Amino acid sequence: MKLFHPILAGATLAERTAACAGVFAAIALTAAAGFAFPVHAPLVLAPIGASAVLVFVVPASPLAQPWPVIGGNVISAFVGLAAGWAVPDLTIAAALAVALAIAAMSLTRSLHPPGGAVALTAVLGGPVVMEWGLLFPFVPVGLCSLSLVALGVAFHGLTRRSYPHRHMAAGHAPPQAEPSATFSPSDIDEALAQMGDSFDIAREDLDLLLQYAEASAMRRQALRS
């Protein structure tokens, strides 16, 4: 049964159920907005479903914040259109679109995994994308992304979760962790460099998490002594 245990720390059935309800409402409302446009093309694109997972299920992720969602998707749409128009070979255009979208998102601090799918859609979308033309990055991509973020803010406000995610102030750190016994942010940077990997969590949140873990260990040791 370990196969079915939550992968993400802190995941509960109640939170996932609420997230499912939020995603349902967000996608339904975004799709309904398509009736306001005369173009006979779907307003909701498949990559928006992936964006919804990040916004509603892991709102603390750096990849799920408003700028990555909106900026990452819109920038990737522009990159995909440019690649599709500049490169005749569809295979090369598709590969180039995703690669350049990642580079553009990285340079603009808007890395958002569904952005890669948006860039691919811009190349492979065919008549649907052609119908939108130069409006494609704005409508439907930009409008969908903006609507998703707005609904995410409202949803997490109702469920009392932080979105856009705000790092907890330093004053919230556990008082049991003595300054002389704790590590510094530079120590965390060095540890991350030694591991040679990246994680879906902000450095500030990781710092605070480790401080709480250290304080818990210190309390346990104090009870044993």
Side-chain angles (χ1 to χ4, degrees), residues 23-53:
V23 169
F24 173 83
I27 297 298
L29 290 172
T30 304
F35 293 109
F37 293 87
V39 179
H40 299 293
L43 187 65
V44 176
L45 300 174
I48 298 300
S51 295
V53 173

Side-chain angles (χ1 to χ4, degrees), residues 36-149:
F37 293 87
V39 179
H40 299 293
L43 187 65
V44 176
L45 300 174
I48 298 300
S51 295
V53 173
L54 290 171
V55 171
F56 287 87
V57 179
V58 283
S61 169
L63 306 177
Q65 300 315 297
W67 169 239
V69 175
I70 300 171
N73 283 338
V74 171
I75 291 170
S76 296
F78 274 113
V79 171
L81 284 181
W85 291 339
V87 182
D89 186 278
L90 195 61
T91 301
I92 300 300
L96 189 63
V98 177
L100 291 180
I102 294 172
M105 288 187 289
S106 298
L107 289 173
T108 56
R109 296 173 59 87
S110 61
L111 189 62
H112 186 60
V118 170
L120 197 59
T121 301
V123 175
L124 304 178
V128 173
V129 174
M130 292 297 294
E131 191 168 0
W132 287 110
L134 285 174
L135 283 177
F136 178 72
F138 302 104
V139 181
V141 175
L143 182 60
C144 280
S145 302
L146 185 60
S147 301
L148 190 64
V149 167

Side-chain angles (χ1 to χ4, degrees), residues 165-178:
H165 181 60
R166 292 176 292 276
H167 303 300
M168 195 176 292
H172 287 79
Q176 293 84 353
E178 297 295 333

